[in-house]
Amino acid sequence: MAVRKVPSAEFPTINAALTTSNPFDTIRVAEGIFPETLIIDKEGIRIIGAGKGKTIIDGDSLGPATSGITIEASLVTIENLTVQNFKTSGIFVESESNILHKVQVLNNKMHGIEVVADKNILVKCETNGNEQNGILLTQRIKNNIIILCKMICNKRNGILLERIPFVILENNLIYCCFAQKNSMDGFNVSGRINYIISSVAINNDGNGFGGNGDGNIFLSNKSINNKKNGFMNGIFTTLIHNLSKNNGLNGIYIPDSLGKMINNKIINNKQNGVLILEFEYIIDRNVIKNNQLAGIEIQQGGNAAIRSNCLMNNNPDLLESFVGLPNAYADNKCTTSMPPGLCDRNDVVNVPGDFDTINDAIHDADTLSGFTINIEEGIFHEQVNIPLNKNRLRIIGADQCKTIIDGTNIEGDGITIESDTNSIENLTVQNFKSNGVFINGINAFFNTIKGVKSIKNALDGFLFSTKNLDFSFIYLCQAKMNKRNGYNGADSDVNYFIKNHANKNNVDGFHLNNQNLLLLNETKENGNHGFEFFDDNKCVGNCALKNNGNGFFIDDVENLLFNNRAIENKKNGLQNDSGSSDNIIWGNVCNKNDGDGILVKDEDNGVIKNICQMNKGNGIQINEDTDVDNIIDNNCVENNVKAGIIIEQANADNFGIRSNCLSGNNPDIQNNSLEEDNIAIDENKCNSSIPEGLCEGSCTNKNSSKWVP
């Protein structure tokens, strides 16, 4: 028996079922209150309740010794239940690669969910009314994923990503989460290199988004009615497209240097809209209105660039606390400043006009203080080079179709950036003998590329070669018909690619190394893979269409592929290669590919809630030789030419194929393994299998390509 039901005559308690379960077995728990403490030390176990508020694991009558659920094994799934009233934390996760899905954690004396290990995913969880943090990530941990979770009325922070001295906590993702009425911060991000996206903090007693972390990106979040600051974070912070409104202190408060805020709305805060204490900050294209103190206040720092902002009804709109700071102002729409005249400052030069060439403007203008270089319509036959010590430049074309940097008969790269914190916007780079845009060298970090088209170059459209953490932000760009890759970051880490296109390049659309964020990008008709990347990448909401290789090709470990689409590619929709383990493949659509929908070649992967339809190979193929250690759960697999789900090798063991819906495949499930150890093929709705007997009823829930978490 691989599925145990609680309560029953044989298993009156969850612990009774755990005791007799083997790895990858399922325990289904009915409605009721279960006064138990659970320690899960068997790999791949699933515990599934009847729903939040229905199946309740309650610690009110138990002693103070342990948490409600302690997870000590990997690939464990906890789903559809409530954990409440424990004297320590509700759930304590001390192992890797586990799943908490639709779990409610209430009124525990310490944290709701405490995580001290890597590569766990929390989806649609609720942590409410706990005496400390709703969710705590601590110790040396990375690559945890928190998606669609709610943290309400906890006595400390909604989420705390804790920073331990001399220890790096990095590369965690918080996506589409909600924090309300917590007694400290909604989101306290004190760790390093984390991604906080499309989340909301409202009515918290501390900051909406706080912490002293560095290298974090805050993208498309909302911080409203919090008692302290809307946003507060440390060095190398990137804040883009956020809303900070009606907070009790500052809209955005940055006590550290070297950061950028672009396209944010900062409105009706009780103190400053933006308060910067240090130096070398970029503040571009923000809307800052009706804040009770200054719209933007620069205190001790300098070398800031304040450009193309709209400021209104602040007191004043612009404020330099120390007169004579070496800051740059350009194209700001405002009426009041201290000292007077900052609204009228326009540190802009024009090409042609003030200078005949773009390079003349770069080398001769006072670029150290963040000048803007406007390039008018026209075709410019020159290589553009931003050398060392030319920082905080903003080079803006009239439009992709109007400002063209053309390399016909010119050797080398189109635009080369060798310094930091520059911005290139709204132009086309084409026909160069090497790369279109080249970000080159260890000092070339924290740059912004927006609305740039790189086409028909002899090598890559965009090449990143910093041999370091890059922190570049690439947004609304196009790489088309280049002879090599569209975007090549094989020699650079930590870049952010948002809403870009890569079409008809000769090799990969995106060819990237480690710790990148890929959000809402599209690749189409490239000569090899749509997306190829190595380890620790977060790949969310992207499309790979009609590429000649795989849609998504994973070379290494610990990646997240969430809610992407791979359609009509010439090989597989999504493939992770040999040596590529510990990946989370959740909620993707892989349809009409010439190979498999999803091909997995290594262990410790979670393949969950994907849709694989009408592929010419298998729907999902697992191809590892011995210890597979994968879970393939809750996928919709329909009308593939070959098998729906296939375990290929005869000596494969340690895996779970559970609760999938399959129809119209040949067969729906095929298990070629001759092993018997720790294999669970349970609760699958399908019509055919090899060997026979692996199906439990037919799949009647026909699923379209709409993904539901």
Side-chain angles (χ1 to χ4, degrees):
M1 184 191 302
V3 179
R4 292 162 174 79
K5 295 184 178 180
V6 177
S8 63
E10 189 174 2
F11 306 113
T13 66
I14 305 171
N15 273 300
L18 270 175
T19 300
T20 60
S21 291
N22 296 312
F24 300 97
D25 284 355
T26 296
I27 299 171
R28 288 203 171 265
V29 188
E31 292 188 33
I33 297 175
F34 299 84
E36 302 185 59
T37 292
L38 308 180
I39 298 175
I40 304 173
D41 57 3
K42 296 173 182 177
E43 185 181 36
I45 288 289
R46 284 198 309 173
I47 298 179
I48 303 176
K52 292 181 289 187
K54 297 179 179 180
T55 299
I56 301 171
I57 300 173
D58 189 272
D60 191 49
S61 62
L62 303 179
T66 60
S67 302
I69 299 176
T70 300
I71 302 177
E72 297 179 350
S74 62
L75 295 172
V76 169
T77 299
I78 308 294
E79 191 169 10
N80 285 330
L81 52 78
T82 294
V83 180
Q84 65 184 32
N85 298 328
F86 282 88
K87 306 304 187 293
T88 56
S89 295
I91 299 177
F92 183 67
V93 183
E94 59 180 53
S95 55
E96 299 180 347
S97 303
N98 299 293
I99 297 166
L100 304 180
H101 184 217
K102 296 182 180 178
V103 174
Q104 185 182 56
V105 189
L106 308 176
N107 303 325
N108 299 285
K109 295 299 183 183
M110 289 182 62
H111 313 291
I113 300 171
E114 182 175 358
V115 182
V116 297
D118 300 344
K119 299 170 293 190
N120 297 284
I121 182 167
L122 286 61
V123 181
K124 280 197 163 184
C125 294
E126 299 177 18
T127 59
N128 304 338
N130 299 286
E131 293 293 323
Q132 296 191 24
N133 301 288
I135 298 173
L136 171 65
L137 275 64
T138 187
Q139 299 187 22
R140 187 187 175 95
I141 61 174
K142 62 179 183 177
N143 288 325
N144 290 283
I145 313 299
I146 304 172
I147 295 175
L148 293 164
C149 293
K150 295 181 180 180
M151 297 72 59
I152 300 173
C153 293
N154 299 286
K155 298 302 192 297
R156 292 192 180 176
N157 304 285
I159 293 178
L160 172 58
L161 274 62
E162 189 174 40
R163 187 170 191 171
I164 308 299
F166 310 111
V167 174
I168 296 174
L169 181 149
E170 59 184 337
N171 208 30
N172 301 289
L173 171 67
I174 299 171
Y175 183 70
C176 291
C177 291
F178 180 83
Q180 183 179 33
K181 294 183 179 179
N182 298 286
S183 298
M184 294 175 68
D185 296 343
F187 301 82
N188 187 298
V189 186
S190 295
R192 184 170 182 261
I193 310 177
N194 298 286
Y195 314 101
I196 303 90
I197 301 172
S198 299
S199 294
V200 176
I202 186 168
N203 292 326
N204 298 286
D205 289 345
N207 304 293
F209 297 81
N212 62 346
D214 59 85
N216 299 308
I217 180 170
F218 296 85
L219 176 66
S220 298
N221 303 288
K222 294 181 180 179
S223 187
I224 302 171
N225 290 335
N226 301 288
K227 290 187 177 179
K228 292 187 177 179
N229 302 288
F231 293 83
M232 184 183 78
N233 215 245
I235 191 170
F236 291 124
T237 297
T238 299
L239 298 115
I240 297 181
H241 284 287
N242 302 286
L243 171 66
S244 184
K245 183 177 180 181
N246 296 337
N247 297 290
L249 298 179
N250 305 286
I252 297 177
Y253 171 51
I254 304 294
D256 276 311
S257 59
L258 273 171
K260 54 190 171 186
M261 55 186 72
I262 302 172
N263 280 120
N264 302 284
K265 291 183 178 179
I266 307 155
I267 303 170
N268 295 336
N269 297 287
K270 301 300 189 294
Q271 294 189 4
N272 301 283
V274 177
L275 176 60
I276 306 292
L277 297 189
E278 290 294 337
F279 54 89
E280 295 187 357
Y281 229 85
I282 301 295
I283 307 172
D284 287 352
R285 304 192 303 273
N286 302 281
V287 175
I288 306 171
K289 299 193 301 185
N290 301 326
N291 300 286
Q292 293 186 13
L293 298 181
I296 300 172
E297 179 179 356
I298 309 292
Q299 288 200 352
Q300 299 106 327
N303 290 328
I306 301 100
R307 304 170 301 205
S308 300
N309 300 286
C310 179
L311 302 105
M312 184 184 302
N313 297 330
N314 306 288
N315 296 293
D317 290 330
L318 297 174
L319 172 61
E320 286 187 354
S321 298
F322 291 85
V323 177
L325 293 173
N327 300 314
Y329 295 87
D331 297 320
N332 297 295
K333 297 185 183 303
C334 61
T335 56
T336 59
S337 71
M338 185 63 66
L342 297 181
C343 292
D344 299 323
R345 282 265 303 271
N346 202 23
D347 298 325
V348 175
V349 296
N350 297 293
V351 179
D354 298 306
F355 296 92
D356 292 330
T357 70
I358 303 167
N359 282 303
D360 287 344
I362 292 170
H363 292 288
D364 294 340
D366 184 10
T367 54
L368 286 177
S369 58
F371 261 61
T372 295
I373 300 172
N374 282 331
I375 311 174
E376 297 180 5
E377 292 185 30
I379 299 175
F380 298 83
H381 295 285
E382 60 176 305
Q383 290 176 276
V384 175
N385 182 49
I386 304 176
L388 290 173
N389 301 319
K390 298 290 185 178
N391 306 316
R392 295 176 299 287
L393 283 174
R394 188 180 182 207
I395 300 176
I396 310 176
D399 186 81
Q400 285 183 359
C401 301
K402 296 177 180 180
T403 300
I404 299 171
I405 300 173
D406 185 82
T408 302
N409 299 321
I410 299 176
E411 298 292 334
D413 304 305
I415 299 175
T416 300
I417 304 174
E418 297 178 331
S419 54
D420 68 81
T421 328
N422 297 288
S423 181
I424 311 292
E425 304 176 28
N426 300 337
L427 51 82
T428 291
V429 184
Q430 66 182 30
N431 297 328
F432 280 89
K433 302 296 184 184
S434 292
N435 306 287
V437 178
F438 185 21
I439 299 180
N440 180 34
I442 61 173
N443 296 299
F445 59 88
F446 218 57
N447 294 288
T448 299
I449 313 293
K450 175 185 176 290
V452 172
K453 182 188 290 186
S454 185
I455 63 173
K456 297 181 180 179
N457 299 288
L459 295 178
D460 298 310
F462 298 84
L463 175 63
F464 306 85
S465 184
T466 62
K467 303 183 186 298
N468 205 341
L469 303 181
D470 195 330
F471 298 112
S472 285
F473 185 82
I474 302 91
Y475 177 52
L476 293 174
C477 293
Q478 296 184 52
K480 187 174 181 180
M481 292 185 287
N482 298 286
K483 295 294 178 63
R484 205 160 65 178
N485 305 287
Y487 303 83
N488 186 351
D491 205 15
S492 173
D493 296 335
V494 190
N495 295 291
Y496 314 121
F497 298 90
I498 316 295
K499 294 185 178 180
N500 302 289
H501 289 78
N503 298 340
K504 297 183 178 180
N505 301 284
N506 281 11
V507 190
D508 297 332
F510 288 79
H511 185 90
L512 305 176
N513 198 29
N514 306 323
Q515 294 179 303
N516 298 284
L517 173 66
L518 297 104
L519 182 67
L520 303 175
N521 302 283
E522 181 183 293
T523 64
K524 187 176 181 180
E525 297 178 358
N526 294 285
N528 195 30
H529 308 308
F531 298 84
E532 180 175 4
F533 42 81
F534 286 81
D535 63 351
D536 296 348
N537 295 282
K538 306 291 181 285
C539 188
V540 179
N542 303 281
C543 288
L545 308 173
K546 298 182 179 180
N547 298 284
N548 286 330
N550 300 290
F552 297 85
F553 186 78
I554 312 169
D555 279 307
D556 217 324
V557 300
E558 299 180 20
N559 297 282
L560 169 71
L561 290 100
F562 181 84
N563 202 18
N564 304 285
R565 290 175 179 265
I567 311 293
E568 295 185 18
N569 298 284
K570 296 296 184 183
K571 292 186 179 178
N572 306 296
L574 189 157
Q575 176 182 335
N576 74 327
D577 208 10
S578 299
S580 175
S581 62
D582 298 289
N583 299 289
I584 298 170
I585 302 167
W586 185 304
N588 304 282
V589 175
C590 298
N591 290 355
K592 298 182 180 179
N593 300 286
D594 286 356
D596 299 326
I598 297 174
L599 172 59
V600 176
K601 287 190 173 183
D602 215 303
E603 62 183 7
D604 291 331
N605 298 285
V607 182
I608 301 159
K609 288 187 171 290
N610 302 283
I611 296 171
C612 297
Q613 298 168 323
M614 295 176 284
N615 298 286
K616 293 181 181 178
N618 304 289
I620 299 173
Q621 178 174 338
I622 307 298
N623 213 28
E624 177 67 9
D625 283 340
T626 53
D627 289 345
V628 173
D629 292 318
N630 292 291
I631 52 175
I632 306 99
D633 291 350
N634 293 290
N635 300 282
C636 173
V637 188
E638 297 177 325
N639 300 321
N640 298 283
V641 171
K642 296 183 180 179
I645 298 174
I646 182 170
I647 301 296
E648 183 65 35
Q649 277 74 23
N651 57 347
D653 60 7
N654 296 314
F655 59 85
I657 301 173
R658 305 169 302 193
S659 302
N660 300 284
C661 182
L662 307 101
S663 65
N665 309 286
N666 296 289
D668 287 332
I669 297 178
Q670 182 171 341
N671 178 21
N672 292 337
S673 174
L674 302 178
E675 302 292 329
E676 297 181 358
D677 293 340
N678 301 330
I679 293 173
I681 303 178
D682 298 316
E683 300 184 330
N684 297 288
K685 300 297 183 182
C686 56
N687 300 306
S688 59
S689 69
I690 298 174
E692 294 182 355
L694 302 181
C695 297
E696 300 180 24
S698 297
C699 180
T700 57
N701 180 25
K702 297 295 183 182
N703 201 329
S704 70
S705 294
K706 182 179 179 181
W707 173 80
V708 180

